[in-house]
Amino acid sequence: MWIAQISDPHLRPEGLFYNGVLDPAAALTMAVAQINRLVPRPDLVLLTGDVAETGSAEEYALARRLLGRLAMPCLAIPGNHDLREPFRDAFAETPRQGPLHYAAGQHGAVRVVALDVTVPGKHHGEADAGALAWLRATLAEEPARPTIVMLHQPPIDSGIPYLDAYNCRGAGPLEAVIRDFPAVERVLCGHVHRGMTQRFGGTLLCTAPSLATAIALRPYPEAEPASWLEPPGFLLHHWNGQAMLTHAVPLGVFPGPYGFA
């Protein structure tokens, strides 16, 4: 099973730029086209949050139109820039009330468990007691099935001070739940606009780069917040029946292919 992971498109109403420097609709359009061209074609796309920049109905309508061009299903979770109610209206798989937790096992061998750790009105995330209880009960329904847990804010430190102020709080109890279920093959996050990997709860946690700008890699205490217009990208996860392999894929059209390797 092949699973593409995109993150943080920060869509604006059509024609408006993200922070004045990038057309997020063009970036998402390119990502959709590139994923559709992949061979083998992915079975599923995951979108790990910050679909919209302000949470407006226009932004979600644009998201549904662009994501509707995918040749495969797309599962999304909210980020700190999303608003729960319009997000709920835009994505049919999300529950009709409460936090936007859900599980989806109908798309292939790997089950996807979406954990909504957003805190309305705040930029940090929190794995609170209710979210942890839901996650434990949901993982226990199919404890031996290969599973991805996706959430927006990562429950780890990057070493970049202006990122770590807004990570997912409650990391210790969350890690304990994940550790109790060895079939969790990946914990997938967005939010940091950078690709990172770290062991977490006995498995591997990965963050996907943003389809918008990249947050500057400044891992020192006095760092000032900054971003770069770096090449965007996405992650491609492959479950071969025994293990999961993750590839980092740059977004774009490049010279080649050449007849050597």
Side-chain angles (χ1 to χ4, degrees):
M1 183 178 181
W2 291 87
I3 301 170
Q5 179 192 357
I6 57 177
S7 201
D8 296 85
H10 288 270
L11 287 173
R12 303 299 325 281
E14 196 160 19
L16 296 183
F17 275 39
Y18 171 67
N19 285 320
V21 299
L22 176 134
D23 182 351
L28 182 56
T29 297
M30 182 181 293
V32 166
Q34 188 167 335
I35 289 169
N36 283 342
R37 291 194 303 267
L38 289 174
V39 180
R41 179 177 281 176
D43 302 282
L44 182 64
V45 173
L46 305 180
L47 202 174
T48 44
D50 280 355
V51 176
E53 171 66 1
T54 68
S56 73
E58 287 179 279
E59 291 166 346
Y60 291 117
L62 179 59
R64 293 310 304 165
R65 180 161 62 84
L66 298 181
L67 293 171
R69 299 172 184 172
L70 284 166
M72 66 291 295
C74 177
L75 301 177
I77 54 170
N80 51 296
H81 282 264
D82 292 305
L83 298 181
R84 275 186 182 168
E85 295 313 312
F87 187 100
R88 197 191 310 275
D89 293 339
F91 294 97
E93 67 273 8
T94 56
R96 297 300 91 193
Q97 59 183 358
L100 304 184
H101 313 312
Y102 63 94
Q106 69 271 35
H107 300 294
V110 178
R111 187 182 189 219
V112 176
V113 174
L115 186 68
D116 178 9
V117 298
T118 60
V119 180
K122 304 291 183 182
H123 287 298
H124 70 273
E126 185 170 358
D128 61 20
L132 293 173
W134 180 90
L135 178 62
R136 181 174 291 280
T138 301
L139 293 176
E141 291 171 358
E142 296 186 80
R145 185 172 177 182
T147 298
I148 284 172
V149 175
M150 66 171 180
L151 57 152
H152 181 63
Q153 294 97 333
I156 61 172
D157 285 340
S158 67
I160 304 171
Y162 47 85
L163 284 181
D164 294 339
Y166 304 118
N167 65 7
C168 178
R169 300 171 187 176
L174 175 58
E175 185 169 18
V177 173
I178 297 293
R179 192 176 298 279
D180 283 345
F181 296 92
V184 175
E185 290 290 331
R186 289 288 186 277
V187 176
L188 300 182
C189 306
H191 187 58
V192 298
H193 291 216
R194 303 204 62 84
M196 305 189 306
T197 58
Q198 182 175 297
R199 294 287 295 176
F200 182 83
T203 188
L204 189 64
L205 183 149
C206 303
T207 67
S210 172
L211 294 181
T213 52
I215 292 177
L217 180 56
R218 293 180 169 181
Y220 47 88
E222 67 276 18
E224 293 292 331
S227 293
W228 295 92
L229 195 57
E230 294 179 4
F234 59 94
L235 299 183
L236 187 62
H237 311 282
H238 180 220
W239 171 252
N240 67 4
Q242 296 182 318
M244 184 166 284
L245 177 68
T246 296
H247 299 270
V249 183
L251 185 65
V253 178
F254 307 99
Y258 301 106
F260 57 83

